[in-house]
Amino acid sequence: MDAQTWPVGFRCLLLLALVGSARSEGVQTCEEVRKLFQWRLLGAVRGLPDSPRAGPDLQVCMSKKPTCCTRKMEERYQIASHQDMQQLLQTSSSTLKFLISRNAAAFQETLETLIKQAENYTSILFCNTYRNMALEAAASVQEFFTDVGLYLFGADANPEEFINRFFDSLFPLVYNHLINPGVTDSSLEYSECIRMARRDVSPFGNIPKVVMGQMGRSLLPSRTFLQALNLGIEVINTTDYLHFSKECSRAFLKMQYCPHCQGLTLSKPCMGYCLNVMRGCLAHMAELNPHWHGYIRSLEELSDAMHGTYDIEHVLLNFHLLVSDAVIQAHLNGQKLLEQVNKICGRPVRTPTQSPRCSFEQSKEKHGMKTTTRSSEETLANRRKEFINSLRLYRSFYGGLADQLCANELAATDGLPCWNGEDIVKSYSLRVVGNGIKAQSGNPEVKVKGTDPVINQIIDKLKHVIQLLQGRSPKPDKWELLQLGSGGGMVDQVSGDCDDEDGCGGSGSGEVKRTLKITDWMPDDMNFSDVKQIHHTDSGSTLDTTGAGCAAATESMTFTLIGVVMLLPGIW
């Protein structure tokens, strides 16, 4: 039947059914029942009764009155009623399932974009500022952000290991190009020795530990958040295809299709009758409600806490500034590091080679390093907030599912004649039970026994993920002030609100600022005119260098910088 004739045919059948339903007593023909049975594709009409007759072989739709059903029809109706229930469950959860799955995909895509953007910022830092080491650093930068992505999306990776691996690989480059510069490179063996010595000589001060702290505080909550969303989808998929007991299959049949056997093809169950059947058959599912409510509440608490240095967007997009600080720290302690490395690795045996220079400026788009502009409305934190606001509406989804199905889909409107399981009546007269397993002891329509192992397994998973979510929710009052450097050099403040005064800048707050105190580690041959600033805004639209000399230097001088870059011999 084509798309145009289908509605017309369906309306005709409904009209016939209305006529049949009006004859609730003394049905003379089974024609409407036969047509609806065939319309539902439940089977051929051959062998079906033309007129009501006795049905002694019926198992569920038994009646003292003549019936339009046979045992075979009853079996087909039972299959149809089970399919109808599965379809109702899937339809009722479809909006919730789409909400979670769509946002899980969107969050992952946004994180992938942020990782690429942070990698680009770091590559731009080396290409614009430390050009001689840029191409050599490219592999380490790419490997680092690949590891970040793998960890975020569930791989068995260790952030401490890949952070250490990045700074281990960075030290030989800084040593060869800044601390002991020249037009030649040391041997691979010597570079490996320098790499191995990094953790002993601590050329970057406490910056690697700061990176570990920031990455640990931001990566793990984001990873857990994504894992929790995937579990939410798993919970819905499981309950969509929940296996019903034989008792419930018979109750669904009796409620939905037994009226057909009496020619009542348009009748609907009474509200109280429907509630007893659905609350009984969804009693185990209703036990999910407090855990599902706790799951959404824990997601909300974790999302609210993911700001400042707990916000992965802030941490990733400011990683290049810490790398810049690390390079500066190492250079300012160059003489001490030179002596330490010579003591550990000896003096290098050099071979004359020209260091490759970065060609980034000429081919930004070719190498996929073009930065993108992002408005404040597009931040990950705003997306999480919108998602949680929508998800909050479903906190009691499982507790009210039976009532929702009866009110919206199954039951007759109050005041209208309805089916009570035996006949058409004005109202349902039996006791209506509540939701949950404990309330079913007096259910007159469905006997609920024991527990459901599938539901119990889902509850265990929800309990576990709630513990993970609550364990990843940071406590702002325990945030610490981290000192960078061992000689009173760099100071990076990390606070709960992480505002501009704290020196870490929030998402969308404009400039990302860090405080540098010039003290006794200022080298004698360094001039303030040799200092440039990297200006970075949260929009991500530019990352460039502009001259910014200081008028004078004092013994102890503090100034605000946005990533400090030294123009030192051998860099350009």
Side-chain angles (χ1 to χ4, degrees), residues 82 86 89 238-244 282 285 452 454-455:
H82 184 272
Q86 293 285 3
L89 289 177
T238 304
T239 55
D240 276 353
Y241 296 94
L242 193 66
H243 175 73
F244 291 108
L282 298 181
M285 198 181 294
D452 188 319
V454 175
I455 295 296

Side-chain angles (χ1 to χ4, degrees), residues 329-547:
Q329 176 100 349
H331 187 270
L332 294 174
N333 292 313
Q335 186 59 41
K336 178 182 177 182
L337 293 172
L338 183 64
E339 295 172 359
Q340 289 177 313
V341 170
N342 285 342
K343 184 177 180 180
I344 297 172
C345 301
R347 296 187 178 277
V349 178
R350 297 184 176 275
T351 55
T353 58
Q354 179 65 44
S355 298
R357 299 177 68 84
C358 180
S359 58
F360 173 76
E361 287 183 336
Q362 289 76 26
S363 56
K364 290 181 183 179
E365 296 189 27
K366 179 180 177 181
H367 292 289
M369 291 184 177
K370 187 176 181 180
T371 57
T372 57
T373 302
R374 302 172 63 252
S375 66
S376 60
E377 288 78 14
E378 295 176 332
T379 64
L380 191 59
N382 286 339
R383 289 187 179 184
R384 280 198 311 267
K385 184 177 181 180
E386 292 175 2
F387 165 64
I388 293 296
N389 286 339
S390 299
L391 188 62
R392 196 184 292 118
L393 301 175
Y394 294 90
R395 286 177 295 187
S396 300
F397 174 75
Y398 286 106
L401 184 56
D403 299 48
Q404 175 190 331
L405 292 177
C406 287
N408 298 340
E409 304 289 343
L410 298 173
T413 304
D414 287 342
L416 295 180
C418 54
W419 174 254
N420 69 351
E422 295 181 359
D423 206 346
I424 295 296
V425 296
K426 290 184 178 180
S427 62
Y428 185 69
S429 59
L430 299 181
R431 174 195 173 195
V432 179
V433 299
N435 282 295
I437 294 177
K438 292 182 179 179
Q440 304 311 309
S441 59
N443 193 322
E445 306 297 342
V446 181
K447 302 302 178 186
V448 180
K449 300 177 182 178
T451 59
D452 188 319
V454 175
I455 295 296
N456 288 343
Q457 187 178 28
I458 295 175
I459 290 175
D460 288 341
K461 289 184 177 182
L462 284 172
K463 286 180 178 178
H464 177 67
V465 80
I466 288 171
Q467 289 179 341
L468 289 178
L469 289 168
Q470 292 176 345
R472 305 301 174 236
S473 297
K475 302 293 187 279
D477 56 336
K478 294 182 180 178
W479 293 10
E480 70 277 14
L481 179 68
L482 298 176
Q483 299 291 332
L484 305 191
S486 57
M490 296 175 163
V491 178
D492 190 8
Q493 276 190 306
V494 180
S495 72
D497 294 330
C498 198
D499 54 24
D500 288 347
E501 293 181 358
D502 294 326
C504 56
S507 177
S509 62
E511 297 179 346
V512 181
K513 299 181 180 180
R514 186 165 283 103
T515 302
L516 177 72
K517 187 176 183 180
I518 308 296
T519 54
D520 50 63
W521 46 257
M522 188 76 175
D524 295 336
D525 59 349
M526 177 178 173
N527 192 295
F528 277 96
S529 63
D530 292 336
V531 177
K532 285 189 176 183
Q533 292 183 333
I534 294 180
H535 185 80
H536 168 62
T537 66
D538 277 348
S539 67
S541 58
T542 182
L543 182 66
D544 55 16
T545 55
T546 57

Side-chain angles (χ1 to χ4, degrees), residues 55-62 71 74 250 253:
D57 58 341
L58 297 180
Q59 301 295 312
V60 179
C61 299
M62 296 174 289
R71 174 67 180 137
E74 190 180 53
R250 292 168 64 91
L253 167 61

